[in-house]
Amino acid sequence: MSPITIALSKGRIFEETLPLLKAAGIVPRDDPETSRKLIIATSRPGVRLIIVRASDTPTYVQYGAADIGIAGKDVLLEHGGDGLYQPLDLGIAACRLMVAVPQGFDYAQAVKQGARLRVATKYVQTAREHFAAKGVHVDLIKLYGSMELAPLVGLADAIVDLVSSGNTLKANNLRAVEQIVPISARLIVNVAALKLKRAAIQPLIDAFAAATGKPK
Ligand code: PRT
Ligand code: MG
């Protein structure tokens, strides 16, 4: 059978994917948190993992450098999904993409008055579509991390970021005022690879589906 490459990011995606891989009979030979290897062999012959930045996963799969990947819906919305088949919501790494503002900021009033809001986010495409659909005028400021800091130092009025427990917002005196979309990680497959290597890929999709309790 042709070899299969699976793209994963370290951290929560890797950790929450491990049980699903195991259910598919795949056990990584190294731990990406401790090993510096970016290509990791597995217990299953012909299946290897590559370790990529979370936001790069769709790119590796889109160009066929990986056959399969696991990426957050947040990352997929920003990427656009070109060349990707998205057969499964894995239900892992769940959170919500939200608009948040400082405790004292009256978001509803600002929106009502038609104020122009400065919004800092890593999710510029998704944020642009969200505010455009609501008819809210925004200037978007692209950041690569620590979005929660932006309103505290006058860089922005609001942020668009992922929230899970809400502890990060709370610790920084921010509050969520609007949900944009619920987020979870998706299985993504290169469209051409699915056709050419279906015999190897379909059983993996089925095993992941069974492990997440999804019917075929
Ligand atoms: O870290 P790096 O810059 O390399 O990339 P990344 O931050 O995109 O990767 P990673 O591994 O942190 O996240 C991978 C994926 O996990 C994301 O694309 C999401 O789909 C998903 N996910 C689930 C989350 C969270 N929950 C989450 N809470 N990603 C990030 N967070 C952050 C959030 O940005 C905020 O800063 O955690 C903070 C909020 O958490 P709470 O619990 O305090 O609300
Ligand atoms: Mg991170």
Side-chain angles (χ1 to χ4, degrees):
M1 269 214 262
S2 30
I4 296 297
T5 300
I6 304 176
L8 293 174
S9 53
K10 9 184 227 185
R12 66 190 104 215
I13 296 272
F14 185 84
E15 278 148 33
E16 297 192 32
T17 299
L18 270 180
L20 302 178
L21 288 172
K22 196 161 179 217
I26 300 167
V27 180
R29 293 283 190 213
D30 289 286
D31 175 358
E33 300 300 337
T34 52
S35 155
R36 305 230 166 201
K37 284 186 190 167
L38 297 175
I39 300 180
I40 296 181
T42 74
S43 58
R44 188 148 156 170
V47 177
R48 62 178 188 171
L49 309 180
I50 62 171
I51 305 301
V52 304
R53 191 84 190 256
S55 45
D56 291 334
T57 306
T59 306
Y60 279 87
V61 177
Q62 173 186 6
Y63 288 99
D67 301 295
I68 291 177
I70 294 175
K73 180 76 184 167
D74 51 322
V75 165
L76 291 167
L77 287 170
E78 284 296 298
H79 173 271
D82 267 12
L84 303 177
Y85 171 55
Q86 301 185 28
L88 271 184
D89 179 349
L90 298 171
I92 59 170
C95 56
R96 288 154 290 152
L97 187 66
M98 305 201 75
V99 182
V101 299
Q103 284 295 350
F105 184 83
D106 193 342
Y107 176 73
Q109 183 63 19
V111 166
K112 210 167 121 193
Q113 285 176 346
R116 194 168 187 93
L117 293 177
R118 286 222 295 190
V119 180
T121 186
K122 184 161 124 183
Y123 303 101
V124 172
Q125 299 299 342
T126 314
R128 181 175 293 117
E129 281 170 33
H130 171 75
F131 291 112
K134 280 179 58 96
V136 176
H137 300 287
V138 291
D139 290 318
L140 292 164
I141 299 176
K142 166 82 184 185
L143 291 178
Y144 293 88
S146 301
M147 269 77 83
E148 295 87 355
L149 178 63
L152 308 183
V153 293
L155 180 62
D157 303 306
I159 61 170
V160 166
D161 194 12
L162 301 174
V163 179
S164 46
S165 69
N167 289 339
T168 307
L169 291 183
K170 206 167 160 193
N172 291 291
N173 284 309
L174 302 173
R175 70 189 168 97
V177 286
E178 207 162 74
Q179 173 166 305
I180 299 180
V181 61
I183 300 291
S184 54
R186 312 296 159 111
L187 187 68
I188 56 176
V189 182
N190 176 275
V191 168
L194 183 61
K195 287 187 192 133
L196 295 169
K197 305 187 192 177
R198 188 181 277 276
I201 292 175
Q202 191 62 50
L204 289 179
I205 299 176
D206 294 344
F208 280 129
T212 45
K214 298 262 158 57
K216 271 195 204 175

